[in-house]
Amino acid sequence: MRQTEERYISLLTDFGFKRIFGTAPNKDLLIDFLNSLFNGEQVIKHVTYLNSEHVGDVFAERKAIFDVYCENEHGEKFIVEMQNAYQTFFKDRSLYYATFPIREQASKGENWNFELQHVYVVALLNYEMSDEAFSADTINHDVGLLDKQTYRVFNDKLTFKYVEIAKFKKNEDQLVTNFDKWLYVLRNLSRLDAQPSYLKNEVFNRLFKAAEIAHFSKTELREYEDSLKAYRDIKNSLDSAEAKGIEKGLAEGLAKGRAEGMIEGEEKKAREIAGKMKSNGIPVDVIMQMTGLSEEEISSL
């Protein structure tokens, strides 16, 4: 008897992400997702999966293991990563990862002219990165090598795409683009009981078929449940830490307000915290319990 009750896998798990985007039978799904992300900037017709495990020039050097690593029909390289938890030096890690597909392009012999194929690093972030270089009201961030004075592209052979999927809050009635649909699926696939009409086409039909848990072998089911447990452990730890931080901040803010006899300050602080909790997708009943605000007050934020 399986442990999970869901009909479809979660694409936020390591197993689910690699099953859908990292296997040859499902390469059309990866192509469609990447084309929706690049939105005409890059049009991919074919991908070839490459070895996702790399070591430095010396075997004893640190390894880099990519979630998905492939190249298109022009030899351009794509690293696609799912990151579920905040990491202090994640930007450094993504830069480090980019060095492997750059270095491996060096041809043996004396006649190489150092011409490189484009390298793309696509990082899907299941948290709000909140980097000072990013626009706060944008989900999709496009990073490249620019001249700091002219802001013109210095070299177009290295591109980083950071996508804050945790900030995607659209419901099914608000899905306009194909990229909207992919982000919705990334966030919500495991919560769906059936394939909805707005996600019915050749690509998504294949996705839902590949993601249906009932079709898994015993080995695949065990691997998925292990991956799901690891994902839930991470999220539970993060949610607990966040809740404790919010509770502590609220208590300190209200205590300070009472000490100063500022009832208006208490309410302002509660509204600020409620607004942050709401933007992070925390349920209204939890916000009400933590802040003391009414459902109507929270809805107006």
Side-chain angles (χ1 to χ4, degrees), residues 133-148:
F134 291 168
S135 172
D137 57 356
T138 303
I139 290 177
N140 194 4
H141 309 284
D142 194 0
V143 179
L145 299 176
L146 305 176
D147 181 287
K148 289 184 177 180

Side-chain angles (χ1 to χ4, degrees), residues 3-21:
Q3 298 174 12
T4 178
E5 298 288 334
E6 293 85 2
R7 181 175 180 180
Y8 302 107
I9 57 174
S10 169
L11 299 188
L12 301 175
T13 63
D14 184 67
F15 178 94
F17 187 80
K18 291 177 181 177
R19 180 181 178 88
I20 296 303
F21 294 118

Side-chain angles (χ1 to χ4, degrees), residues 85-236:
Y86 172 81
Q87 187 179 74
T88 303
F89 296 108
F90 180 72
K91 287 191 295 182
D92 290 1
R93 193 180 93 177
S94 57
L95 182 60
Y96 173 70
Y97 276 12
T99 64
F100 289 90
I102 290 174
R103 287 189 297 170
E104 72 180 15
Q105 294 184 51
S107 59
K108 295 180 180 179
E110 299 179 357
N111 297 322
W112 184 46
N113 63 3
F114 289 91
E115 182 180 7
L116 297 172
Q117 294 289 348
H118 204 131
V119 173
Y120 296 91
V121 179
V122 177
L124 306 176
L125 310 174
N126 193 23
Y127 63 92
E128 294 189 25
M129 192 168 179
S130 302
D131 192 275
E132 61 181 11
F134 291 168
S135 172
D137 57 356
T138 303
I139 290 177
N140 194 4
H141 309 284
D142 194 0
V143 179
L145 299 176
L146 305 176
D147 181 287
K148 289 184 177 180
Q149 290 183 315
T150 65
Y151 296 102
R152 295 175 187 148
V153 176
F154 170 71
N155 188 303
D156 67 350
K157 298 297 180 68
L158 181 59
T159 298
F160 296 88
K161 297 277 192 181
Y162 295 96
V163 184
E164 296 180 277
I165 62 174
K167 290 169 65 173
F168 183 79
K169 307 297 184 184
K170 291 184 178 181
N171 59 42
E172 60 271 17
D173 297 327
Q174 299 170 310
L175 305 181
V176 178
T177 67
N178 198 44
F179 188 54
D180 284 344
K181 294 177 180 180
W182 270 112
L183 291 182
Y184 183 83
V185 166
L186 280 166
R187 293 270 289 165
N188 298 291
L189 179 60
S190 64
R191 303 173 188 173
L192 300 176
D193 296 324
Q195 183 180 356
S197 59
Y198 53 86
L199 292 175
K200 285 190 176 179
N201 59 33
E202 184 177 350
V203 170
F204 285 114
N205 290 348
R206 185 177 301 180
L207 165 67
F208 276 83
K209 184 176 180 180
E212 192 162 5
I213 298 172
H215 296 155
F216 287 8
S217 67
K218 290 182 179 179
T219 299
E220 290 172 330
L221 180 59
R222 183 174 62 253
E223 290 175 352
Y224 173 60
E225 289 180 340
D226 288 344
S227 183
L228 182 62
K229 182 179 183 302
Y231 167 74
R232 286 173 173 169
D233 286 346
I234 290 173
K235 295 305 292 179
N236 286 339

